[in-house]
Amino acid sequence: MGASKNRVLVTYAWVRSSYVAVRNLVEHGVDLIVADSNGVGMCQWSKYPTKSLRYTSHYLDERQFIDDIKRICKEEAVGLILASHNETEILAKYRHEFPDELCALLPDADLCAIFNNKARAYELARDHGVPVPERIEYQDPYKVADAVENNGTSRVVVKLLLGNSAKGIFYADSPAEAQTLVGDLIQEFELPADRFPQIEDWVDGDGCGCSSLFWHGQPIASFCHRRLREKTQTGGTSTYRESIENEELVAYTNKLLSEIGWHGLAMVEYKMNPETGKIWFIEVNPRLWGSLHLSVASGFEFPYLAWLCATEGTDAALAYHANREKHIGHRARWLLGDLIIAVGQLSRGQFRKAWTTLFKQPADSFDDWSIRDPGAFAGELMFYGSSFIRNRSSNPVEKGMIG
């Protein structure tokens, strides 16, 4: 049986973004296979994929991961690969080992590597005229306190260069605390000088995102959202958010991604001060993003648009998107994420906050719960439950994920 572009492999199958992509494509008649290093997760327990397979985690063995993906694609006659998470960069790096048509949805590996390095992404955004928070320069980790104090600030954000969501992001409320934090991170992750944590001035604002699909530098669709609640108090994954219109966010995103010739899916994160409207670049996720469901529910079907670009061309994608009804002001919720927040609030005796989190802020749709596919939520619940038992954390970090 020959490979067909109607047969798509989605990797990193356990997570919400993969599940939303699978569901969106299946609803348009695309045949979906999913794969992951785990046997438990949303897509693995969902009714939508045709098949669920296993591969070796790229964090454990990059070479074996690639060989496993090649084997799956050959045995299952896969026509397209839709990567979901950090494995996107790995697949892009080895794209020369795959047929060209399989890699049509993968971004450029070098650009992906830049965006997966917070210091390089910051510099690229700054150099392309996108506003960024002030960076506090230092060479000697024992003089971080002096650098912060000389900058005239107190509260700062400390970022490991590799990380995602809230993983690898830390806050310090004084120069001395910043120095201690930087020193501890350098020691814990054995960081050489060229990978010292980045220090930025803390900026006050709402978390916002501009999600985009570009096809060889051509913008196909852009979508903006505002975060209403986040899973951890220090930011990161949103559990409650709404779709918004913001021409400035789109303009900055288009300027950055079009000028570098970006190809594929990406979400650029910003902070936006609600009183002044001032915007600061935070980072780029050069892949599918956690709030993908909100995009799709609001009429911005990024997975299907990407598939259309690869199979029928950009004109087909643009025409389909132009005719879709858009829903600005749509509110979507990550149910399990809010349950995790509420449990934490209850454990701290914050009963009113927990009640508000669970019952006082209605959503138009859910990322992870559907009565038509309850197995997906059960798989997600089982994944997080088993991860918590192993790691004693609801936000576990796999070795090699941050640093």
Side-chain angles (χ1 to χ4, degrees):
M1 180 174 62
S4 168
K5 287 187 177 180
N6 196 54
R7 195 166 174 82
V8 177
L9 171 66
V10 175
T11 54
Y12 207 65
W14 78 267
V15 78
R16 286 173 298 138
S17 53
S18 297
Y19 174 68
V20 173
V22 166
R23 186 170 172 176
N24 180 228
L25 290 170
V26 167
E27 288 174 349
H28 286 282
V30 181
D31 185 16
L32 262 295
I33 293 172
V34 299
D36 200 298
S37 58
N38 293 285
V40 175
M42 292 198 72
C43 294
Q44 295 95 314
W45 286 22
S46 168
K47 71 176 185 179
Y48 290 108
T50 301
K51 190 177 291 187
S52 176
L53 302 169
R54 299 283 292 273
Y55 55 64
T56 302
S57 170
H58 71 274
Y59 294 116
L60 297 177
D61 189 333
E62 192 173 290
R63 178 67 260 171
Q64 188 58 54
F65 165 74
I66 292 297
D67 289 342
D68 288 347
I69 296 296
K70 290 166 68 175
R71 171 182 53 78
I72 290 171
C73 289
K74 182 177 180 180
E75 292 178 355
E76 302 298 331
V78 171
L80 276 172
I81 299 172
L82 177 56
S84 175
H85 206 255
N86 289 345
E87 80 284 359
T88 303
E89 181 184 343
I90 307 303
L91 287 164
K93 185 168 71 172
Y94 288 91
R95 68 188 308 147
H96 61 280
E97 298 189 18
F98 294 86
D100 289 342
E101 58 271 17
L102 266 177
C103 304
L105 302 180
L106 294 176
D108 177 81
D110 292 335
L111 291 176
C112 203
I114 290 174
F115 287 143
N116 282 331
N117 181 302
K118 287 184 169 53
R120 297 177 68 192
Y122 175 100
E123 291 159 4
L124 186 67
R126 179 197 61 196
D127 293 346
H128 284 270
V130 180
V132 295
E134 184 173 355
R135 181 164 67 182
I136 299 169
E137 305 288 353
Y138 70 99
Q139 285 77 43
D140 185 348
Y142 293 102
K143 296 182 179 180
V144 164
D146 292 338
V148 172
E149 193 168 346
N150 291 338
N151 190 65
T153 188
S154 56
R155 191 177 191 196
V156 296
V157 184
V158 179
K159 299 179 177 181
L160 291 171
L161 302 193
L162 176 63
N164 64 80
S165 186
K167 303 180 182 76
I169 306 296
F170 308 89
Y171 294 83
D173 292 323
S174 69
E177 187 178 339
Q179 179 166 310
T180 299
L181 178 56
V182 167
D184 289 346
L185 290 172
I186 291 173
Q187 183 176 11
E188 179 181 355
F189 292 96
E190 300 178 348
L191 301 175
D194 63 344
R195 293 201 63 83
F196 279 177
Q198 174 152 302
I199 305 175
E200 297 175 10
D201 190 16
W202 179 80
V203 293
D204 185 22
D206 296 330
C208 298
C210 182
S211 310
S212 296
L213 169 63
F214 276 70
W215 203 254
H216 300 291
Q218 177 188 358
I220 305 299
S222 296
F223 168 81
C224 296
H225 75 274
R226 178 170 67 94
R227 298 176 173 209
L228 302 176
R229 184 165 51 245
E230 296 170 327
K231 179 166 165 274
T232 56
Q233 292 181 338
T234 55
T237 304
S238 63
T239 66
Y240 188 47
R241 65 203 86 83
E242 68 177 347
S243 56
I244 62 172
E245 290 183 324
N246 190 297
E247 294 181 0
E248 195 171 10
L249 289 178
V250 173
Y252 281 133
T253 301
N254 284 354
K255 178 177 174 59
L256 174 61
L257 297 182
S258 63
E259 288 182 3
I260 64 173
W262 178 254
H263 174 76
L265 295 156
M267 195 265 278
V268 186
E269 294 188 22
Y270 300 90
K271 282 281 190 179
M272 182 170 64
N273 188 294
E275 296 179 358
T276 66
K278 185 173 176 59
I279 292 171
W280 298 272
F281 168 89
I282 300 299
E283 65 178 11
V284 179
N285 293 314
R287 50 174 173 78
L288 295 181
W289 48 94
S291 58
L292 179 62
H293 166 74
L294 176 62
S295 310
V296 174
S298 299
F300 297 75
E301 297 182 39
F302 286 105
Y304 184 57
L305 293 175
W307 183 85
L308 280 175
C309 285
T311 58
E312 300 181 23
T314 56
D315 288 344
L318 289 166
Y320 176 82
H321 183 60
N323 290 323
R324 286 284 291 138
E325 183 180 359
K326 311 303 191 297
H327 305 284
I328 303 303
H330 185 97
R331 291 191 172 190
R333 193 173 165 194
W334 175 27
L335 180 57
L336 181 56
D338 269 351
L339 290 172
I340 293 171
I341 290 175
V343 168
Q345 291 168 334
L346 289 172
S347 69
R348 296 187 294 272
Q350 299 170 332
F351 302 108
R352 183 172 295 181
K353 284 187 175 181
W355 178 265
T356 298
T357 297
L358 292 176
F359 303 113
K360 299 296 286 185
Q361 296 170 316
D364 300 300
S365 60
F366 295 92
D367 296 1
D368 51 350
W369 169 253
S370 170
I371 193 65
R372 293 186 296 166
D373 191 24
F377 183 76
E380 179 188 40
L381 188 63
M382 183 63 70
F383 180 90
Y384 272 92
S386 59
S387 295
F388 183 81
I389 292 171
R390 289 195 310 269
N391 304 288
R392 309 303 299 174
S393 172
S394 63
N395 195 27
V397 176
E398 191 171 350
K399 185 178 180 181
M401 187 177 288
I402 66 173

